Amino acid sequence: MYIKADRMIIRDLETADGILFSQMAADGSLTEIWIDREGEHWMEEWMTEALELAAKDDPTADYMAYTMEHRETRKVIGSVGCTYYEDLEKVGIVYFVGAQYRNQGYAAEAIKAYAQYFLQRYKWDEIIATIREDNAPSWKAIEKAGFVLTGKKLYQDLDDKTEKLYRFYSYRKQ
């Protein structure tokens, strides 16, 4: 997969990306994505699984993750992709940006580019986002990318121990 956006390229994962992702996760800011990861090989296992799932090219299989790479510097700045919500029977966007690249519009740019790609590539009319109410930077990025708020409700995501207030968003074919 290869998407050219204004300031970045979204491409297939490469094994070396895992080292950079684990460094990004080390600051604790990505615990919503990678919770309860212990030991030194968790990222290697995640990368192996992510590469296998991307090769299947099936958004309903579990998740698909891709690398966000800065076009000029070629530095890895984060990841974007999708995950399947079995309870909602919908595909949702997932993403993260390394701390040094946050608050610069990279997340919104990647979200919009991937959402457009997803709706062109697959037979889905919509991609959703579920974001905890307390994660304002994330829902601001989603809104900047053109996702529309469809509601707020208590929801328990897979890694949540209890229900929390979530914002639900939708991005549809134009």
Side-chain angles (χ1 to χ4, degrees), residues 47-59:
M47 287 293 294
T48 299
E49 179 182 68
L51 289 165
E52 290 171 1
L53 288 166
K56 285 183 182 177
D57 197 27
D58 178 3

Side-chain angles (χ1 to χ4, degrees), residues 39-114:
E40 58 189 53
H41 299 292
W42 72 267
M43 180 56 75
E44 183 179 315
E45 292 167 5
W46 182 85
M47 287 293 294
T48 299
E49 179 182 68
L51 289 165
E52 290 171 1
L53 288 166
K56 285 183 182 177
D57 197 27
D58 178 3
T60 65
D62 191 353
Y63 66 90
M64 295 190 300
Y66 303 97
T67 300
M68 296 163 44
E69 182 180 277
H70 194 279
R71 278 179 68 174
E72 290 181 18
T73 65
R74 295 302 213 215
K75 290 189 178 191
V76 172
I77 60 177
S79 178
V80 66
C82 64
T83 189
Y84 185 67
Y85 289 89
E86 290 181 18
D87 56 338
L88 303 173
E89 297 181 341
K90 294 184 179 204
V91 177
I93 195 157
V94 292
Y95 55 92
F96 70 86
V97 177
Q100 68 269 36
Y101 300 103
R102 293 183 189 141
N103 301 312
Q104 299 174 49
Y106 291 117
E109 183 178 332
I111 292 163
K112 186 171 187 173
Y114 185 79

